[in-house]
Amino acid sequence: MPAEKQEVSRRFFGALLGVARTRLGEAQIEELLTGTGMTLKDLTDEGGWVSLAFTEQFLERLVERWGGEDLLRVVGEVTFTGPHFGYLASVFRTADPGPNYRQAVQMTAMFNKVGRFEISGESARSMDLRYVPVDDEHRETRRHCCILRQHQLAGVPRLLGLPSAQVTESECVVRGDTACVYHVHWESARPRWGEIVGGAALAVGVLGAAFAPTALAAQLGVCLGVCGFLAGALVTTRQRLRAVNALAEERGVAVKRSTAVLEKKYAELLAAKREVDAKVDERTAQLRETGHQLEQSLAQLQTLTKQKDTFFENVSHELRTPLTLILAPLESILAGEMDAAQQREAMNAMLRSGRRLHRLINQLLDLARADVGRLTVRLQNVELSDLLRELVGQFQPAAQHAGLTLELNSPHDATVIGDGERLEEIFTNLLGNALKCTPQGGTIRVEVQRVEGRVKVTVADTGVGIPPEDLSRIFQRFARVERQSRGEGTGIGLALTQELVRLHHGEISVRSEVGKGTTFTVDLPAGNNAEVAQRVARAPRPILDEAPVTFADPPHTPTGEREDAPLVYVVEDHDDLRRYVTELLSRAFRVQAFPDAECCLKALQGTHPDVIVSDVMMPGITGVELARRLKADTNTRGIRIILATARGSGDDAVAGLDAGADDYVRKPFSPPELRARVRTQCQLKRLTEQLINSEKHALIGTFAAGLAHEVRNPAAAIQGCVEPLRRLVTRHLPNPPPALQEALRVVDESAGRITSLVRDVLDFAHVNRAQVSPYDINQGIETCLRILGHRLNGHVEVVRHLDYAAPVHCQPALINQAVMNLLDNAARAVASGGRIEVRTSPAEGGVNVVIQDSGPGIDARTLRHAFDPFFTTRPPGEGTGLGLPLSRQIVEAHGGRLTLSSEPGVGTVASVWLPAQPSSTQQQEV
């Protein structure tokens, strides 16, 4: 059984540890606690609890180390003394032991959750008590607790300075009984001084009567003595009993109330803890899932980066090879090192290399056009048989030189709808790949078939084949399958081929077996007249990189023109590249471009972007230094930074990431990759902000749940006591000191601020708990202005343009609160002689509410945090920082918008748009 359980209060160990320290010392007590999971410091924390099993085990060890049960007698004698009983001694102390025992029975539940006391009988000097376990699971198993309880019961009269009571036990739970039964007998309280004085008065009266000169004087002396005694005894006794009974009743009520409050608080805290634990578990699972997704995205980006690097290395090789074959022969010809025949051969080689270079550049350009949706085809009737016959004839010399057999099987009529040049490019790529990957003695077969309005062309070879793991990515961009071939490749031929086939509304597929060969199949729509061509041209646009494309350039409407699109800063000193990147990103983002980092830093003083894409090598402040500065500033730390460089080494990447950059891209980059990286960083920034806001709201909700119970009631009690205190001071001090009056005023205002803070926090945490009804927005504004009239006091001009007449369906109390917050801010900002303008007007199916003041305005840095919870520019004690966040939350809960704009020295404008009729979802939320 765990040591720490809600069963026995650690206050039980106060007197026990105090006595044990006198003989055993702290070292031996710590030794006795070994293996229990508790320490001496833990036990001295009276606010904690322990289990019954631990209590019995520890008592047994203490008794054994002490040398007998005499320890329990000593503990019982000192339990109800001031040093060990503390403030409870004043609560228990009454005029007679009887009430003390009743108090002990009532308060047992505060310190003992495993058993309860019952009073079965009582008299003037005795009481019968029963101690009953709450259930069979919590029955005591050792006698030490029983014996200690007997001695503690005996020690109760010691609170009054009386001898210990006599306690006898007739039944015991440990012995198998259902309860522990005790009979307690104590001595009566000693007489008070009033009674002694009364007796003395009687004695004096009697003696005076004995020596009186006359019988009448004697009788009078006796009567006066008796009357004095009776009066003194009666008054003293009645006052004592009245005071004792009142004190006992008052303390009993207080103890019961405190016990109920503590029990309720414990239940609430336990429920809140369970709720928080559940939310923490839920958020932990969400974060774990998000982390898993981010890891997958990172792995994909790493794979893409690796493929891109390989792609550029291959392109570099493919460009340098034909350039070398062009430049080197030219140098030889110009140097006169070749005769006529050699020059002719060199010219042919240069021509082939030039064509190869031209084809490669065209492929790169086509791929770039495909990225931006500008790759087009000119559709017409094309006789595919004739095109393939001519193309195969061009490849025959190369096939014969390589020792290969190249065959064509095609019907005479195989007309398709397509672009002749693009179709030639498709099959040139396929034949070129087959030629490179087929060993000497192999065969390449081209076959054309007409099947139900379609034309299928297969290009099959008996080459090395493609491994299954590479077959799925054969058409991917930047993917290059390593095969035994006669030449290197760029890895873009098949990707471009697939794009061209799609533009023809066709399909391309591949099957392969390692060591046996590969077959590519191109499926194209057949046609033989212009009507079919027009039908194909009007067909739905094909899919290109999971985005629609057209046969001609569509009009370009940048997504970035939307106000809600993410804002991206581009920092690049090269003019052409800056314009290109700006145009590239403006399709999906709002973009601002800067020629250097200094201009970017100046712009950050006004607005903050979501992402900055910056070159590394720039004059003045480099991209790495820019990243370092932004991440060092708390105001710009949240901006995501992507660095780009043309260097091939990874030094810039390491330096940039060390400086705080969030991502890194090498030039030249592919447009989809750059857009994907920027989009990923925007999503990460948005996710981070959502998590932070979610945690803030969860924290405020939890805080508000406890605040309502723990703060509001004491604050109300304080405010309720101020006015009676003020009247009491006035009654007894006609001219109270100014310091006393000021102190009462401070107490009243402080309690008011606490109440206001509780209200704001509760409103912020529970804004979505109201009902929707029609509301006159103009009347609400007038009501708020009347309430604020004492602050405006005729010294501020209020101009009204209330032009919206229809009702708004909302929660009036919440909207009034939002409007009041905005008007209150304007009133605080405007000095005497200033101006506040309030406008309402119809707009976009709802109402626009504009509150403009002529105050000092707000600087851009402060304006960015205006809607952050608990952010305020007011002096301590004058603002909670929840007014604007609460107003925005109220407006957005109604499906509206709240924005704030300001210009230092001119004033501030708060703009609210509310729908006239909220949606059904918003009606459920509000």
Side-chain angles (χ1 to χ4, degrees), residues 366-367 370-371 375 377 426 475 477 494-504 508 542-545 549:
D366 286 341
L367 195 62
D371 286 336
L375 185 60
V377 293
I426 290 171
F475 295 109
R477 304 245 178 116
L494 288 176
L496 180 60
T497 298
Q498 185 182 53
E499 303 297 349
L500 293 174
V501 171
R502 287 177 175 177
L503 286 176
H504 285 80
I508 183 171
I543 299 299
L544 178 60
D545 275 346
V549 298

Side-chain angles (χ1 to χ4, degrees), residues 6-9 49 92 102-118 131-132 134 255-256 258-260 262-263 266:
Q6 296 283 334
E7 294 182 351
V8 180
S9 172
W49 295 77
F92 270 69
R102 287 192 291 273
Q103 289 277 23
V105 169
Q106 292 174 355
M107 296 190 68
T108 299
M110 294 178 60
F111 312 111
N112 187 343
K113 302 291 185 183
V114 297
R116 65 180 184 275
F117 269 110
E118 299 174 351
Y131 176 78
V132 184
V134 294
V255 169
K256 289 180 181 179
S258 300
T259 302
L262 290 174
E263 290 283 358
Y266 168 71

Side-chain angles (χ1 to χ4, degrees), residues 558-573:
T559 306
E561 291 183 357
R562 298 199 311 262
E563 292 184 358
D564 59 343
L567 177 60
V568 179
Y569 280 4
V570 175
V571 186
E572 171 62 58
D573 59 329

Side-chain angles (χ1 to χ4, degrees), residues 184-185 197 352 374 420 564 662 690 744 802 816 892 900 916:
V184 184
H185 180 80
V197 172
R352 288 192 301 271
R374 295 182 178 179
D564 59 343
D662 301 285
Q690 290 174 354
L744 289 175
L802 307 180
N816 266 346
E892 291 182 348
L900 204 66

Side-chain angles (χ1 to χ4, degrees), residues 314-438:
N314 296 335
V315 168
S316 176
H317 174 78
E318 291 295 313
L319 289 173
R320 287 191 179 98
T321 300
L323 284 174
T324 302
L325 293 176
I326 293 173
L327 295 176
L330 274 177
E331 292 177 357
S332 299
I333 292 173
L334 293 175
E337 299 174 353
M338 293 185 180
D339 56 18
Q342 291 174 333
Q343 288 181 9
R344 185 176 182 82
E345 181 63 26
M347 290 291 183
N348 288 331
M350 292 165 59
L351 179 61
R352 288 192 301 271
S353 297
R355 288 174 175 171
R356 179 181 176 187
L357 188 59
H358 182 258
R359 184 171 59 253
L360 177 59
I361 293 174
N362 284 341
Q363 288 181 345
L364 292 173
L365 292 175
D366 286 341
L367 195 62
R369 294 189 186 99
D371 286 336
V372 296
R374 295 182 178 179
L375 185 60
T376 62
V377 293
R378 298 174 182 174
L379 297 177
Q380 58 184 353
N381 290 324
V382 177
E383 181 51 50
L384 195 58
S385 296
D386 295 338
L387 184 148
L388 289 174
R389 191 174 298 106
E390 181 179 355
L391 192 60
V392 168
Q394 294 175 3
F395 273 85
Q396 281 291 358
Q400 294 174 1
H401 180 76
L404 303 177
T405 301
L406 178 57
E407 301 175 350
L408 172 64
N409 181 12
S410 173
H412 292 289
D413 182 15
T415 304
V416 297
I417 301 300
D419 185 321
E421 293 183 0
R422 296 301 189 183
L423 290 173
E424 181 178 354
E425 190 173 356
I426 290 171
F427 295 108
T428 296
N429 286 334
L430 295 179
L431 286 171
N433 285 341
L435 192 66
K436 289 189 296 184
C437 299
T438 304

